[in-house]
Structures are given as C-alpha cells and as structure tokens.
Amino acid sequence: MLDKEYKYYKENQKNFLGKYRDKVLVIIGENIIDVYDDEVSAYKEAVEKYKLGTFLIQKCIPEEETIQTFHSNVIFA
C-alpha cells in the first residue's frame, strides 16, 4: 500500500531531519511533494490535489521519537 513512500522516508530520514524537522511531509513515490506545519493542513490540501491512496503523510521526527504515519486513506473528523 504505500510501502515505497514509507521506505523512501525511512531511508532518508536522517537527511530530511536537517531540512524538515517537525514538519509534515507529503510523499508520492520517492518525492516530497509538499511540506506543512501540521497533519491536518497536509491532509486537507493533499486530498484536493491527489487521489486518495497515492500519497503518504509523514511527520519528520527523529527515530527515537514516536513515529506516526498518516496514509492518504485516513479521515480526520
């Protein structure tokens, strides 16, 4: 399901931390498409631009912190 996107994030996490720490990334394939300050904004804009199930929303935080992944099929109420 979004394994490619998550693998890309995990493989590049340390590099991303220098540029995107505490930001929320929207990833499609092996590309960061958009960067946001919070998950809700990332989700709202991503669903307007991209088809559900085609993007990964991932907060860029260090490995030792809790990693929370939001897939594009998540719905915020």
Side-chain angles (χ1 to χ4, degrees):
M1 189 159 134
L2 294 164
D3 295 331
K4 181 178 184 178
E5 288 79 2
Y6 188 67
K7 181 180 177 187
Y8 171 70
Y9 171 75
K10 291 299 290 177
E11 289 175 348
N12 294 282
Q13 184 178 16
K14 289 182 183 179
N15 294 332
F16 293 159
L17 283 170
K19 188 172 183 180
Y20 304 114
R21 187 183 183 105
D22 297 322
K23 298 291 185 180
V24 179
L25 311 176
V26 177
I27 301 171
I28 296 178
E30 294 183 347
N31 295 293
I32 295 174
I33 303 301
D34 289 306
V35 179
Y36 297 90
D37 291 325
D38 63 86
E39 293 90 346
V40 174
S41 297
Y43 179 77
K44 284 181 178 179
E45 290 195 33
V47 296
E48 291 179 8
K49 296 178 183 179
Y50 312 107
K51 182 179 175 186
L52 286 174
T54 63
F55 58 88
L56 173 73
I57 296 175
Q58 177 66 53
K59 185 155 188 178
C60 188
I61 55 177
E63 182 76 29
E64 57 275 3
E65 293 182 24
T66 303
I67 295 181
Q68 187 173 15
T69 304
F70 294 91
H71 298 278
S72 60
N73 56 352
V74 171
I75 297 175
F76 293 96

